[in-house]
Amino acid sequence: MSSSRLRTFVAGHVALSTDDFVELALGTPVELWLGVEGESEMEREARLDAARDILADNPHLPDDVSRIAAEAIEAYAPELFNIVPLARPAGRRSVRKGAAA
């Protein structure tokens, strides 16, 4: 069976995107914690109130989030930290202040 789309199952649900996976793993939408662009002050306050209620009901959620983030970093570290050194442009020298030429 070949598929061009990777599917991840979390608690019996299909996560088709990173946001789906995070929402299913945490049980809350990412926007609840990060906000949305252009939200009003009243919307922000309502969102933060809801977040406080969720944290009061689930005081272990920050630990769960940290664990999930650490597991994701560990699993994808090679891709996350795939650093390629950039070559310096030819003909440019770094000049240190006070250095003799």
Side-chain angles (χ1 to χ4, degrees):
M1 175 176 145
S2 101
S3 172
S4 62
R5 175 172 243 175
L6 176 67
R7 285 194 264 176
T8 304
F9 292 87
V10 178
H13 299 278
V14 179
L16 297 176
S17 70
T18 303
D19 287 347
D20 287 348
F21 178 79
V22 172
E23 184 172 339
L24 289 168
L26 298 177
T28 62
V30 175
E31 293 83 8
L32 176 68
W33 308 105
L34 302 179
V36 293
E37 190 174 329
E39 72 182 355
S40 70
E41 186 61 31
M42 190 177 350
E43 290 168 326
R44 180 179 181 275
E45 285 302 318
R47 178 177 58 78
L48 293 176
D49 284 343
R52 280 189 284 276
D53 289 343
I54 289 170
L55 288 173
D57 291 341
N58 187 358
H60 299 289
L61 185 61
D63 293 335
D64 293 343
V65 170
S66 297
R67 181 183 45 75
I68 290 167
E71 289 172 358
I73 289 169
E74 182 179 17
Y76 297 102
E79 291 85 11
L80 291 172
F81 300 109
N82 188 9
I83 300 170
V84 178
L86 299 175
R88 288 187 174 177
R92 260 185 103 176
R93 293 187 342 187
S94 63
V95 178
R96 292 190 337 221
K97 197 173 191 176

